[in-house]
Amino acid sequence: MPQPRSPRPRHASLLQPGPVARLLFPFAVLLTLAMGVASLFVGVSHVSPSLIWAEGGSGPATEVLFTSRLPRTLALALAGAGLALAGLVLQVLVRNRFVEPSTVGTTESASLGILLVMLLAPGLPLPARMAVAAAFGLAGTALFLLVLRAVPQRSALMVPLIGLLLSGVIGAVTTFIAYRTDMLQSLGAWSTGDFSVVLQGRYELLWIVAGLVLVTALFADQITVAGLGRDMAIGLGVNHRAIRALGLVLVALLSAAVIVTVGIVPFLGLVVPNVVSLLKGDNLRRTLPLVCLSGAALVMACDIVGRLVVRPYEMPIGLTMGIVGSAAFLWLLTRRRANVA
Amino acid sequence: MIEIDAVERRYDGVAVLSEVTLSLPKGGLTAIIGPNGAGKSTLLSVMGRLQKPDAGRVTLQGLELSRASGREVAKKLALLRQDNHTAARLTVRDLVGFGRYPHSRGNPGPEDHAQVTRALATLGLEPLADRFLDQLSGGQRQRAHIAMVLAQDTDCILLDEPLNNLDISHAVRIITLVRDAARQMGKTVVVVLHDINMAAAHCDRIVVMKGGRVLRHGTPAELMQAEFLSEVYETPITVHELAGRLVAVY
């Protein structure tokens, strides 16, 4: 058949599945490892491989490494991977590029859940607190989808707009309750994500993210097919409703795990999956490892910057990520206008 | 092969399909034609289990669609809706590969790869195989979706206006392709078409619908009658024999 010339986007060669795309994965692995190593040895107290060697495995530097730096680095990597993955799954299932847990009400609802736990059952252990946050997050996402169905929307930008409005309303309710109950300060404590509080024994819940990544990987093909739309999914024998429900539960659990341990890290779930999609497409089976690695690397990078800029103090990651993320979001808005649907 | 038994479908109390009873034998290409709002696409959706009938039932090779497992049906029946605007950035090869999903469940074997390669070749998509869908023209994307449906390798194929977005050359190639699949490989293919002449020239059977009902069902020669078509489309239509074909002029 004759091949008519097809429209090519700008920088088409970079966006084609080609040598650049093939090198992405090893590059992401190296970058993540490099960030991980840097994160272990950057900080106020001096920790370096030679110092640890000199201490022979027991001493102040080794102590800092194992009780603070290593847990912090693992927490960063897990939270970054989890949030990026949550954004990816949400974008595929909602079929919109501009959604992520903090733009569809998941994050705000989970925060409301945590506030209520603190008020009504302050003694609840962390896993139970996370379960409540996840349940609220899921309910918030479901509410968003209901509103979305009720609003006749033609533009791709309406979707995150509705989500942001809904998040705003839920956030206002949370703030109001916190104000009335004198909890504003503790609300502030987790509404800006902060990894400086992470110590050994206080982040382990985040390992649940690793399990959730595995579950998502098992269902990667079905999630991709569900992302092709209800009709295509049914045609290919995929239970669209069940996979969508599963995906939303995964998103809620991932978000909740991160929020209860380190707080809200905005934009990550938006930026990382979008960049990966531009470079590597939307076949989850292929992009999932890349999204998780890039999420981990980006969060570690932002945290390291936060540790260095105002030394010996720290900038919370929510702030660094907010700056990086909003800049990237603006860039994406100008880049992706053509192919959002 | 496909038995449609007294199917009813209503939207907000308005009947879109009423008392549709239709029996399509195995093999052959059937076109559904009719004016806008006749219920053609709705009928195809019900046949493809995308919509549940409010009354009546559809059976496929003795399998009742509303009760059968989605996966089992997906091995026997493939369908392509008219508005397949996939937002996903998949390569053409990946999309066609997902046609094998009902068979491979994510673990494609040699047979699956062979089917994908064949489907890509049949639609002339090899040069585009590694392009992303959003880098293709509308017609190329349409062909990629048809290749996906072919790769699914089902006995029954339902296509809703498959010739939309295609130029004359590709439209003729695709209608010939599905006709050959129907006649040579014994597949049962049902297409919704707007072009009566395309239907008359290439299809074995034509189903004429209007107002949610099947008016007539027969061979092109039986249905290509000026008076009947004029009535159906409420437009003066004459039918002529031209180069051995029945051609409607309107």
Side-chain angles (χ1 to χ4, degrees), chain A residues 15 30 49 71 78 121 186-187 194 201 226 238 244 252 264 306:
Chain A
L15 307 182
L30 284 178
L78 288 167
S186 9
L187 183 67
D194 186 1
V238 166
R244 212 170 138 108
I264 296 171

Side-chain angles (χ1 to χ4, degrees), chain B residues 2-9 11 16-22 24 30-33 38-51 53 57-58 65 77 79 81 158 160 190-192 207-209 212-214:
Chain B
I2 306 177
E3 304 289 334
I4 301 165
D5 185 22
V7 161
E8 307 257 350
R9 174 79 190 155
Y11 287 127
V16 198
L17 292 177
S18 2
E19 296 164 43
V20 174
T21 298
L22 197 62
L24 298 174
T30 304
I32 304 179
I33 65 168
K40 308 180 293 281
S41 293
T42 308
L43 178 60
L44 209 71
S45 290
V46 170
M47 287 167 74
R49 73 185 178 318
L50 295 182
Q51 295 184 24
R57 58 186 195 151
V58 181
L65 282 191
L77 178 141
L79 82 164
R81 284 283 307 252
L158 312 177
D160 196 351
V190 183
V191 289
V192 170
V207 174
V208 184
M209 291 186 73
R213 289 169 194 274
V214 171

Side-chain angles (χ1 to χ4, degrees), chain A residues 153-164:
Chain A
Q153 23 100 20
R154 287 281 163 267
S155 148
L157 290 175
M158 270 298 274
V159 176
L161 213 57
I162 292 168
L164 285 168

Side-chain angles (χ1 to χ4, degrees), chain A residues 6 230 234 278 282 285, chain B residues 49-50 89 94 101 106 131:
Chain A
S6 62
R230 174 184 174 271
I234 294 176
L278 274 172
D282 287 334
R285 174 187 277 260
Chain B
R49 73 185 178 318
L50 295 182
R89 259 170 79 81
D94 282 352
Y101 190 75
R131 289 265 198 97

Side-chain angles (χ1 to χ4, degrees), chain A residues 100-113:
Chain A
E100 70 126 18
S102 67
T103 64
V104 300
T106 318
T107 306
E108 300 292 340
S109 309
S111 300
L112 177 60

